[in-house]
Amino acid sequence: MKMLIVTIMSVILSFTGVFATGNGATMPDYAKWGIIAVKETQTKYNVDIVDYKHIGRTSLTANQSREQFKLWVRAKDGKEFAVYVNVDFNPSTQQLKNVQFTESDRH
């Protein structure tokens, strides 16, 4: 299961061209929070991640920001559905504050 997470994140990051290279490219700011979104979703729902999309970052207050993700997941019974994940954190300290989930059967 951990290997699946690493594989998915590697594929996603390679498509966006964000692996560190000799030219100074770095991973995007949201990568850390995306990994947390994937792991927390797998733990909460006991599912496989089929697809992953970063929606964006919102500044909620001076001390709290939110990264939003859409994960398409497959349950053990074969049912597929979307899970929207909000990861709230302090942008200054990079401390995780909260993870929220919303399920949807729509694409």
Side-chain angles (χ1 to χ4, degrees), residues 1-54:
M1 189 59 75
K2 289 182 182 180
M3 189 60 166
L4 178 63
I5 294 171
V6 171
T7 301
I8 289 171
M9 294 302 291
S10 296
V11 168
I12 291 166
L13 295 174
S14 67
F15 282 132
T16 59
V18 295
F19 277 120
T21 62
N23 64 8
T26 59
M27 293 191 31
D29 292 340
Y30 65 83
K32 170 183 177 177
W33 309 113
I35 292 168
I36 290 171
V38 167
K39 287 181 180 179
E40 292 292 322
T41 301
Q42 286 180 314
T43 299
K44 179 175 175 66
Y45 292 98
N46 191 26
V47 293
D48 294 323
I49 307 299
V50 177
D51 200 5
Y52 163 104
K53 179 181 180 183
H54 175 246

Side-chain angles (χ1 to χ4, degrees), residues 59-65 88-93 95 97:
S59 180
L60 302 175
T61 67
N63 295 323
Q64 190 164 342
S65 292
D88 295 349
F89 63 98
N90 182 318
S92 299
T93 65
Q95 180 182 6
K97 297 289 188 182

